[in-house]
Amino acid sequence: MTPGEPGRQPATTRTGTRAPVAGEPPSTPEESAFAPDESAFAPDRAPAARGTWSSLRPLLLRVHFYAGILIGPFILVAALTGLVYTATPQLESVLYQHELTVTPNGAPDSLASQIAAARRAVPDGTLESVSPAPGRTDSTRVVFSTPALPADYSRTVFVDPYDHKVLGTLTTYGQWLPVRAWLDSLHRTLHLGEFGRNYSEIAASWLWVEVLGGLALWIGAPRNRRRLRRALLPGGGAKGRRRTMSWHGAVGLWVSIGLLGLSATGLTWSAHAGANIGAIKDSLGGSTPAVTTSLPAQGGGSSGTEAGKTGATDKAGKDVGYDAVVAAAHDAGLRGLLVITPPADAGTAYVVKENTRSWPERQDSVAVDPATGKVTDEVRFADFPLLAKLTRWGIDAHMGLLFGLANQIALALLAIGLIAMILWGYRMWWLRRPTRSDGFALGRPPARGAWRRTPGGVLAPAVVVVAVVGYYLPLLGLPLLVFLAVDLAAGAVRRRRAGAPA
Amino acid sequence: MIAATGLRWILTAVFALSALHGGWQVARPGYASARRVDHGLHTLMGLAMIAMVWPWGMDLPAAPQVVLFGAGAVWFARTAPSLLRSGSWLKSGAVPLPHVVMTAAMAWMVAVMASAAMSAGHGGGGASGDMPGMIMSGGSGTASMSLTGTGERLTAGLLAVVLAVVGLRWLGRAFDRARTARATEPGHDGAGSEEAAFGLACHAAMALGMAAMFVLLL
């Protein structure tokens, strides 16, 4: 057995390894626990007494193999679309240079005049937010909702801050420009709407299983010499399937941490698991804090919502305007890209949020009383719960925003590594196929019945843990349940056929 | 009562497995009466746990259930003295302690929920009113009620741990019986061992399901 090869070869494989012949008596007492069809090509023939790992390894190998074969396409599509997504900032700067950049020309106009110009460009729009130009060569963004647009999409007007000339109007998804919105939707849903989210959730739910399982198999693979080198570096003189496995394992080892991060952050976005993760995060006190937009009471004595209403009523009609609100936010220490949301109704405040999503992140926010221009509430990123900070950093790293170009390159390398690993995995499967039989044949899977080698004391807690995780990650649990049902049915049919009289 | 629809159905399936297995065993010919009573109690426990998962289960009278499962605990404990004397207390596959704990826990769970409901004048299954000693919305979003009393929470936590251990032990033994079924019975198809494994798995499902219910009450 080649070091690092986690499975026995089939009888006549492309690599030429000799394996047991059907009907051959089992070589160890343990094999008698398996039907002939199940004992053949068993991935590990070590006696169970060798320990928990040797008993678990065949089971893990089987899970890794089948998840790779069946879930691999989902992960491959996510990796391919993710790879394209990494180039988004460069695409945006090329495609939308006219809207995004301006030539500095003296002092900027007031925000009020810029917003007025934007309103004329989208007369039927309702103002959602304003982002003043963060730099001297940046344009101002004024975002409107319009009745004709689908949910979460807006019309964003780009205004030259120096002459309040409208540079262009684009349909945006949140803050994302059309090309990023399109690629984002491709990566998340394949443009199939809510139903399409299931594809990326399946990929995210299973990626970490494949990575952790693969890591355990690779690190725990039997190697007689040069263990570290063979684990860390591909090649090593191996040929054929062993060489492919060497690349699959070694590259997998290097990219594993990044892939685990992508899987975890991807799950936080998902529809089903994301809701569960959000609930767990909230119960642990890790929810992202937000400023209170209700205006404070005037004159004391009342509190809560009623106070807010009273305060608003007293000052109804007064509004200091966007320029004063931005000035108040600057006074409160907010810098960089700001997003100003107008009051939702007469009883609420403006909200100004920092939205710098590169390191060091700036995510402070303040509420500003429209009547007085004074800050009524503030939330500092430094005071966020650790879980909320980790979520923010994780999401922005996943999107390639946190560390700029280096982040994009790292993500692209991860995507390429993942694509290569999936293709190597399929190649290994292909190389396992019988070559002496006539016609088309698939590579043989790891032997059935691997669980029979695992002691109940190990299997029982593992099953319970998988059940709990499968509940919280339903697109891990449900496909696993379906696979188990199909596998059990297939096993029953095979046993019945084997037991049927000739 | 479980608020999350998915979990409600999962637990229903888990308890139904145990109840169906018990009912099947009761109906099988050739069993002694005492064994039929054992399995009959398992069936009733499964059904009662299913009721406890659903809102309509809150309408069922609690007192008969408490009496029934209290008596069930005594019934399962009846063989303890002889097993103790024979020294096979822990070795025997029919060791009664887990069953005693499960039926007693069942009686306690029904009682604690019913007493809280009575204090609140709760008469319907809509669970719209607040119960003293319980939060009706549930902290986790999966249960629609959770215990607030320290003693009750400690008891529920302890029972959850004990039942989880019992369930894992049963499940482990079920796997061991199943995985060695064909190896240990040369010349046989292993049906006896597989049936025994299935029985153990049903016990495990009941214990683990109850442990989950106690966790949700915390």
Side-chain angles (χ1 to χ4, degrees):
Chain A
M1 175 74 95
T2 303
E5 188 173 8
R8 299 281 172 154
Q9 296 295 313
T12 51
T13 67
R14 193 175 175 83
T15 46
T17 310
R18 195 256 178 204
V21 177
E24 192 177 62
S27 57
T28 69
E30 192 187 346
E31 283 181 15
S32 63
F34 297 82
D37 61 319
E38 292 178 352
S39 62
F41 322 125
D44 190 347
R45 304 197 172 213
R50 258 187 14 194
T52 303
W53 171 240
S54 65
S55 67
L56 261 180
R57 196 163 186 279
L59 184 61
L60 201 56
L61 178 65
R62 198 151 185 268
V63 172
H64 189 73
F65 172 83
Y66 275 110
I69 297 291
L70 300 173
I71 308 292
F74 293 90
I75 301 177
L76 181 62
V77 171
L80 286 167
T81 54
L83 177 62
V84 179
Y85 185 89
T86 59
T88 314
Q90 285 69 33
L91 287 172
E92 284 178 331
S93 63
V94 171
L95 291 172
Y96 309 115
Q97 187 183 18
H98 175 69
E99 286 85 358
L100 296 175
T101 56
V102 298
T103 305
N105 182 19
D109 289 345
S110 68
L111 265 182
S113 59
Q114 295 179 57
I115 293 167
R119 277 189 196 282
R120 286 192 289 277
V122 188
D124 62 335
T126 304
L127 185 61
E128 276 189 346
S129 67
V130 179
S131 293
R136 293 269 301 156
T137 58
D138 297 321
S139 57
T140 295
R141 299 188 191 194
V142 187
V143 182
F144 296 92
S145 61
T146 64
L149 289 173
D152 300 325
Y153 280 84
S154 314
R155 290 290 286 168
T156 297
V157 181
F158 296 82
V159 182
D160 187 332
Y162 301 101
D163 60 6
H164 57 268
K165 181 183 165 191
V166 172
L167 300 167
T169 304
L170 298 171
T171 298
T172 52
Y173 177 74
Q175 68 183 103
W176 308 131
L177 301 176
V179 67
R180 187 187 283 267
W182 194 89
L183 290 172
D184 182 277
S185 178
L186 181 71
H187 184 57
R188 284 186 306 117
T189 72
L190 296 177
H191 290 284
L192 295 174
E194 199 60 25
F195 174 74
R197 288 181 76 182
N198 292 319
Y199 117 80
S200 54
E201 181 161 350
I202 288 176
S205 298
W206 282 90
L207 178 57
W208 66 273
V209 177
E210 281 296 84
V211 171
L212 288 182
L215 270 181
L217 287 169
W218 186 243
I219 293 170
R223 295 183 181 89
N224 296 328
R225 56 195 178 82
R226 301 170 74 189
R227 288 179 57 86
L228 193 63
R229 192 206 171 279
R230 286 176 187 271
L232 291 174
L233 298 177
K239 290 181 179 175
R241 181 170 165 273
R242 293 168 192 169
R243 182 178 176 79
T244 309
M245 180 177 288
S246 164
W247 278 92
H248 180 86
V251 172
L253 189 68
W254 285 105
V255 299
S256 56
I257 294 292
L259 294 183
L260 288 174
L262 290 177
S263 178
T265 49
L267 280 171
T268 62
W269 272 305
S270 62
H272 310 292
N276 291 332
I277 292 169
I280 292 170
K281 203 176 80 166
D282 291 348
S283 69
L284 294 173
S287 54
T288 301
V291 290
T292 304
T293 55
S294 298
L295 291 171
Q298 297 295 301
S302 57
S303 62
T305 310
E306 196 57 38
K309 286 178 185 169
T310 310
T313 306
D314 291 348
K315 299 177 290 184
K318 294 181 184 174
D319 193 329
V320 295
Y322 282 86
D323 292 279
V325 170
V326 170
H330 283 157
D331 290 344
L334 272 63
R335 296 286 182 273
L337 178 63
L338 301 181
V339 179
I340 307 150
T341 310
D345 53 50
T348 55
Y350 281 95
V351 175
V352 186
K353 280 184 179 176
E354 290 182 329
N355 196 25
T356 300
R357 296 174 68 169
S358 55
W359 191 269
E361 294 239 12
R362 298 190 67 99
Q363 295 290 330
D364 296 353
S365 55
V366 295
V368 180
D369 188 336
T372 63
K374 288 184 178 169
V375 171
T376 57
D377 191 22
E378 62 180 34
V379 170
R380 301 290 174 184
F381 185 62
D383 299 329
F384 275 26
L386 180 62
L387 270 177
K389 282 183 184 170
L390 289 174
T391 304
R392 181 77 267 158
W393 290 327
I395 285 173
D396 291 337
H398 189 130
M399 296 184 75
L401 302 169
L402 193 58
F403 300 112
L405 185 62
N407 201 155
Q408 290 175 253
I409 292 170
L411 284 174
L413 289 175
L414 281 178
I416 291 167
L418 183 54
I419 292 164
M421 281 209 305
I422 294 167
L423 296 180
W424 283 325
Y426 282 116
R427 178 169 164 74
M428 282 189 286
W429 185 35
W430 174 251
L431 293 175
R432 280 170 70 97
R433 78 192 190 283
T435 53
R436 291 184 194 169
S437 59
D438 294 332
F440 178 76
L442 292 173
R444 285 177 184 259
R448 287 178 53 79
W451 68 275
R452 291 181 191 277
R453 292 166 178 258
T454 312
V458 175
L459 206 51
V463 165
V464 171
V465 167
V466 169
V468 172
V469 173
Y471 173 74
Y472 284 103
L473 308 182
L475 290 187
L476 171 70
L478 286 174
L480 185 61
L481 212 56
V482 170
F483 169 75
L484 283 175
V486 171
D487 195 43
L488 283 172
V493 169
R494 288 179 68 177
R495 274 204 303 275
R496 184 160 295 180
R497 280 183 187 162
Chain B
M1 187 169 62
I2 304 299
T5 310
L7 186 60
R8 189 184 275 173
W9 279 107
I10 290 169
L11 287 173
T12 299
V14 164
F15 294 131
L17 186 72
S18 187
L20 285 172
H21 177 258
W24 175 51
Q25 295 292 323
V26 168
R28 279 183 80 168
Y31 275 176
S33 302
R35 199 166 175 188
R36 288 187 200 281
V37 173
D38 288 354
H39 288 300
L41 278 168
H42 287 139
T43 307
L44 291 173
M45 283 173 68
L47 294 175
M49 286 307 300
I50 290 172
M52 214 172 284
V53 166
W54 291 86
W56 51 261
M58 300 297 292
D59 292 336
L60 296 179
Q65 295 184 68
V66 174
V67 171
L68 174 68
F69 295 120
V74 175
W75 168 263
F76 280 120
R78 79 194 186 285
T79 55
S82 61
L83 284 171
L84 272 175
R85 277 195 300 275
S86 67
S88 56
W89 174 253
L90 287 172
K91 293 175 193 169
S92 169
V95 65
L97 184 59
H99 297 286
V100 175
V101 171
M102 280 171 71
T103 39
M106 185 87 209
W108 182 81
M109 192 191 286
V110 174
V112 77
M113 290 171 88
S115 66
M118 241 166 141
S119 308
H122 178 77
S128 55
D130 286 340
M131 295 183 190
M134 283 194 174
I135 298 170
M136 294 308 291
S137 61
S140 63
T142 48
S144 64
M145 58 175 66
S146 53
L147 300 169
T148 54
T150 309
E152 288 174 345
R153 286 168 63 87
L154 276 175
T155 308
L158 185 66
L159 284 171
V161 171
V162 169
L163 289 172
V165 170
V166 166
L168 283 173
R169 186 167 162 70
W170 263 328
L171 191 59
R173 286 177 53 206
F175 281 129
D176 283 337
R177 289 297 288 270
R179 77 195 181 93
T180 57
R182 273 174 284 165
T184 54
E185 295 182 22
H188 295 82
D189 61 0
S193 284
E194 285 178 1
E195 192 181 317
F198 183 65
L200 287 166
C202 288
H203 288 334
M206 185 74 191
L208 292 170
M210 285 183 70
M213 288 285 282
F214 279 116
V215 168
L216 294 171
L217 280 175
L218 292 176

